[in-house]
Amino acid sequence: MPPFELPIEVALARPITRLPASAEGLSAQAKVDGWRAILLTGPEPRVFSRHGKDLTKAFADIAEAARFLPPSVLDGELVAVLPTGELSFGLLQTRSGKGPKAGAGFAAQFAAFDALSAGDTDLRDRPHLERHARLLGLLEGAPPGVQPLPITGDLDEARRWFGALGGGVEGCVLKPTGSRYRPGYASNWLKFRVHHSVDAVVVGITPGSTPAGQAAVLAQPNTRGQLRPVGVSLPLGQTMRAELAPLLRPVGGELVELPGTLGGLPGAPQVSYLPVHPDVVVEIEVDQKLEFGRYRHRPRVLRMRGDLTADQVTPPRTAL
């Protein structure tokens, strides 16, 4: 049994838009695109989601690999690994409530980044570097299904990780080397994601409970030139709403719905929006390539592209 009750409230990282000039007093750890999870290793393994849901059945292969490890509690990310070594966030959705399936075309792996206990010893009050050293010891000779993520004190080295594994390394998490593991944002972790900008066509506006909550439904062409919705933006700022309003031409006037996955995680409610004619092109900020017809995180609308028409928008990476 672990020295504390599971599941627990996990440590979180505050997003930052740029890396600091120096990593003094910090360690950088690769940020991989997966599902946050807590793994109990040893003779009675369990897998819990960030929110405490028991995922042991869905990731029975991870639990089986963890059975042969020393008893511990690890924090990390569940990832889907393709035969090429690339990561696919979208394929993780096929595991939701179902478990491993023969011929799925990928292997699940637990990418561990923290050790919260070892045996009956609670490590959460130990410094981050000590916890990571214990993590490496616990996973020495571990099966492929459970592997540690690297850390570095060199930001140039961390930058070389970005985009690796087919874009599966989104950025890095910066952790004070002496920090204790605390729930929520109390551990003072920082999260940096690599962003890039692409063009998209506005095909709808969500009503929002207030004007400040309104967002744009965004579309991009597939390889055949057909526009397909790829995401729902973050709420539009006042200036952007004012610029868009006179340019948008509603279609029909009735609300329609899209799958919730276009505006959030699997299981999210459907997105209601007012369709508009595809007349307006905007530049959006995204943090990874398109996968399974959508962006992983909600894009941010940066600016209008009055110099482009919808038929001049090019298909995104990994076209629909």
Side-chain angles (χ1 to χ4, degrees), residues 80-250:
V81 185
L82 299 172
T84 59
E86 298 179 349
L87 303 186
S88 170
F89 178 83
L91 285 173
L92 284 175
Q93 299 177 36
T94 65
R95 284 293 188 96
S96 183
K98 299 178 182 178
K101 182 180 179 180
F106 72 95
Q109 186 177 92
F110 184 77
F113 54 68
D114 215 322
L116 310 188
S117 76
D120 58 1
T121 302
D122 188 341
L123 301 177
R124 292 176 295 177
D125 276 334
R126 307 289 178 86
H128 164 62
L129 287 186
E130 180 180 338
R131 296 198 312 274
H132 192 264
R134 294 294 293 270
L135 174 68
L136 296 181
L138 289 165
L139 296 185
E140 185 175 358
V146 184
Q147 291 294 311
L149 283 171
I151 64 173
T152 181
D154 184 343
L155 289 181
D156 287 335
E157 180 181 358
R159 289 186 182 94
R160 289 193 287 271
W161 297 337
F162 300 167
L165 306 180
V169 180
E170 304 177 300
C172 66
V173 176
L174 302 174
K175 302 177 181 180
T177 55
S179 63
R180 275 58 177 167
Y181 189 95
R182 295 290 183 264
Y185 297 106
S187 295
N188 295 318
W189 294 359
L190 302 172
K191 176 173 57 182
F192 172 77
R193 280 195 177 100
V194 178
H195 293 85
H196 65 281
S197 63
V198 294
D199 296 319
V201 182
V202 178
V203 295
I205 294 292
T206 64
S209 56
T210 65
Q214 291 179 335
V217 178
L218 303 164
Q220 291 174 323
N222 60 18
T223 53
R224 297 179 298 279
Q226 300 166 319
L227 283 177
R228 293 289 186 268
V230 294
V232 178
S233 76
L234 291 168
L236 300 167
Q238 182 176 358
T239 300
M240 184 57 63
R241 294 199 308 273
E243 290 183 19
L244 279 174
L247 302 176
L248 299 178
R249 298 185 298 133

Side-chain angles (χ1 to χ4, degrees), residues 5 16 24 34 43 67 74 76 112 115 129 138 182 185 195 210 243 250 261 263 279 289 294 304 308:
E5 187 176 350
I16 56 175
E24 184 176 357
R67 185 183 306 277
L74 309 180
L129 287 186
L138 289 165
R182 295 290 183 264
Y185 297 106
H195 293 85
T210 65
E243 290 183 19
T261 50
D279 300 331
K289 66 183 180 182
R294 71 181 183 94
M304 305 285 291
L308 291 180

